[in-house]
Amino acid sequence: DCEKFMISRAVGDEPYMGIAEVPSVPGKLAYSYSDGQVQSVPGGKVGYRLDVYERDGSTRVLALKEVVVPGAVLRFYQNYPNPFNPGTKIVFELPAGERVWLNIYDVSGRLVRRLVSGKELGPGTMEEFWDGKNEQGVQVSSGVYYCTLRAGKETIARKMVLLK
């Protein structure tokens, strides 16, 4: 028969710190706890420890659990509208601050337009608009184009169709 439970948390390599004390209820066999305060780097480890405090003053570790926080990912959405005429919206989401390049290429791989060129952007959702014009401001012809997003070490491409 125990007196209380102590829930402790360790983020990364930090030591365990008590985050919740739960009194024991006679006859109650199941308890649950949801940690809404944890802040960890995506892809990082969070450890939980459950200590039992007995009425005689002794303590023991009842459970240890390690959780890996899912990593945040770069997202590059399909342009809208697609097919488009004369312009299209390009949306991407950065999990962290990164230097970003967003370029438009034709099917032969020639650079048509630089929308973002090595700009440092913070985390969050970003929108760019391509007006269907090349670097010289001339409207390009109907056809298939590729938009590439490079952020950090990742590069993602999306196919776009310009119809006139």
Side-chain angles (χ1 to χ4, degrees), residues 39-110:
Q39 294 182 356
S40 174
V41 176
K45 298 179 301 184
V46 179
Y48 291 94
R49 185 178 77 203
L50 180 63
D51 295 306
V52 178
Y53 288 76
E54 303 292 348
R55 295 199 190 284
D56 66 7
S58 64
T59 62
R60 62 188 164 95
V61 176
L62 183 64
L64 285 171
K65 176 75 175 175
E66 186 174 276
V67 178
V68 176
V69 178
V73 296
L74 173 67
R75 297 188 193 284
F76 189 26
Y77 301 99
Q78 186 64 53
N79 63 300
Y80 181 81
N82 192 34
F84 66 95
N85 180 16
T88 189
K89 182 167 58 168
I90 299 163
V91 179
F92 57 95
E93 193 175 324
L94 299 174
E98 295 279 2
R99 190 166 300 280
V100 172
W101 289 262
L102 187 66
N103 295 320
I104 309 295
Y105 296 91
D106 64 17
V107 291
S108 65
R110 286 188 302 255

